[in-house]
Amino acid sequence: MGNHHALFDYWRFAMSTICSVDAFYVGFYREGRRIVYPYTFDDTIAIKRYVPPEVSGYGPKGQAAWILKHKRPYTYASDNGLLLHHGVSFGDAQRVSADAITIPMSDTRDGERVVIGLASIQTYRSNAYTDEHVRAFEWTARSVATVLAREREDDLNREELAVPSEGSKTEQPSVVEVVQDVSAILVDLHSRICALEEAIPIGERELVRQVRELRYECERGQTETMDIIARPSARAENLLNSLSSKEREIAFLIARGGMTNKEIAARVFVTESTIKGHVSRILRKLGVEQRSGIAAKLEHFFD
């Protein structure tokens, strides 16, 4: 628990012991028709095989939308791969998967079972997967979802047990908190690179050069990571400028105070229906679907 890379890596390994797995990914749905892919693997990419994590959008007619709507597994055999190839490719773009299973990942939220993500195993061999492989993939997905749910439950319990303090939050981590977590990982990585550099035998000049370049890139990554919170992005500025003065006022009341439409209406002396209209336009202009997304878009501008 806590090491999601190891969790997903072991999940891929477990599936590879019972069927062919040339490619594998795990993704989680986010607002604005986006999916965060924290783990992607393609066994055919030279030595590395590792595909960097990314955030990608998805359309209304692709595989991701289909999984979210139907809440059941998709198999290559069901449509000869039409839905699979309609989506975004990853890994080795020169090769096309010949078989695939994509399953929904679910969790219980407010007593209701909801789809929170999807996972896929793919191979370059045709007719490689059977219904038994689908069931095995679903079973292992439930095990992974259980681990993630326990982590989430532990986080909620820690928040409930914590002593309340002014300005305490229960929302998703802020950009600052995420950047600090990433920075801590880079600090540990930098320390290990330095240790490796010191351990290189005398005379290995080329290896020393390569490791020093790696150390430099890590240091550059640390600087650029912290620079994310040093100043608002140009895109964030443009989003803010797209709002009218009244919309901006209402957006900050929602983002900072989490105020309801009724509370905002009383604050700015207009009707609740007027506030609803403003909120709809704010959501559209900021490109988010829920009020909680407003805070994420505007947190760069908080004091």
Side-chain angles (χ1 to χ4, degrees), residues 19 45-46 48 50 55-57 71 88 94 124 129 165 193 207 212 228 240 249 254 273 276 279 302:
C19 60
I45 299 181
K48 299 178 182 179
Y50 174 74
V55 179
S56 177
K71 300 179 176 60
V88 177
Q94 303 303 316
Y124 297 111
Y129 299 136
S165 59
I193 294 174
L207 185 56
R212 284 179 177 172
I228 292 174
L240 188 64
E249 178 184 7
I254 295 173
S273 60
K276 288 182 179 179
V279 172
F302 293 172

Side-chain angles (χ1 to χ4, degrees), residues 143-163:
S143 298
V144 171
T146 297
V147 172
L148 298 178
R150 286 176 180 172
E151 288 183 357
R152 181 168 172 266
E153 184 179 353
D154 288 345
D155 289 340
L156 292 174
N157 288 338
R158 279 192 291 269
E159 287 182 0
E160 291 178 358
L161 293 173
V163 178

Side-chain angles (χ1 to χ4, degrees), residues 17-176:
T17 63
I18 61 174
C19 60
S20 175
V21 179
D22 292 320
F24 178 94
Y25 70 74
V26 179
F28 293 95
Y29 292 99
R30 293 294 181 263
E31 62 184 15
R33 285 195 179 277
R34 293 192 173 276
I35 301 180
V36 176
Y37 294 96
Y39 182 93
T40 305
F41 177 94
D42 190 330
D43 196 41
T44 63
I45 299 181
I47 299 174
K48 299 178 182 179
R49 297 177 299 196
Y50 174 74
V51 181
E54 65 175 349
V55 179
S56 177
Y58 66 93
K61 297 181 180 180
Q63 180 182 223
W66 189 94
I67 289 288
L68 191 59
K69 177 181 178 181
H70 296 282
K71 300 179 176 60
R72 59 184 174 86
Y74 162 79
T75 62
Y76 190 99
S78 64
D79 64 356
N80 198 32
L82 290 177
L83 193 61
L84 174 71
H85 298 317
H86 187 75
V88 177
S89 62
F90 69 94
D92 188 349
Q94 303 303 316
R95 303 188 67 183
V96 179
S97 296
D99 205 353
I101 303 172
T102 304
I103 58 171
M105 296 181 64
S106 302
D107 189 17
T108 301
R109 302 284 172 86
D110 299 324
E112 181 181 354
R113 202 70 178 168
V114 296
V115 175
I116 61 171
L118 71 167
S120 183
I121 55 174
Q122 301 179 24
T123 180
Y124 297 111
R125 293 172 46 209
S126 60
N127 303 317
Y129 299 136
T130 67
D131 290 342
E132 292 178 346
H133 294 139
V134 175
R135 288 193 291 272
F137 199 19
E138 289 185 290
W139 186 88
T140 53
R142 286 194 291 271
S143 298
V144 171
T146 297
V147 172
L148 298 178
R150 286 176 180 172
E151 288 183 357
R152 181 168 172 266
E153 184 179 353
D154 288 345
D155 289 340
L156 292 174
N157 288 338
R158 279 192 291 269
E159 287 182 0
E160 291 178 358
L161 293 173
V163 178
S165 59
E166 185 178 354
S168 61
K169 298 180 179 180
T170 58
E171 301 91 9
Q172 293 291 325
S174 67
V175 171
V176 172

Side-chain angles (χ1 to χ4, degrees), residues 243-244 246-255 259-262 264-265 271-292 294:
L243 303 178
S244 68
K246 180 60 69 175
E247 290 168 349
R248 195 176 306 180
E249 178 184 7
I250 294 170
F252 275 107
L253 289 175
I254 295 173
M259 298 177 66
T260 65
N261 289 347
K262 184 176 182 180
I264 295 173
T271 65
E272 188 174 350
S273 60
T274 299
I275 295 299
K276 288 182 179 179
H278 282 305
V279 172
S280 295
R281 288 189 291 274
I282 292 169
L283 292 173
R284 185 177 67 254
K285 289 182 179 181
L286 296 185
V288 296
E289 297 180 355
Q290 300 178 358
R291 294 166 67 99
S292 59
I294 296 175

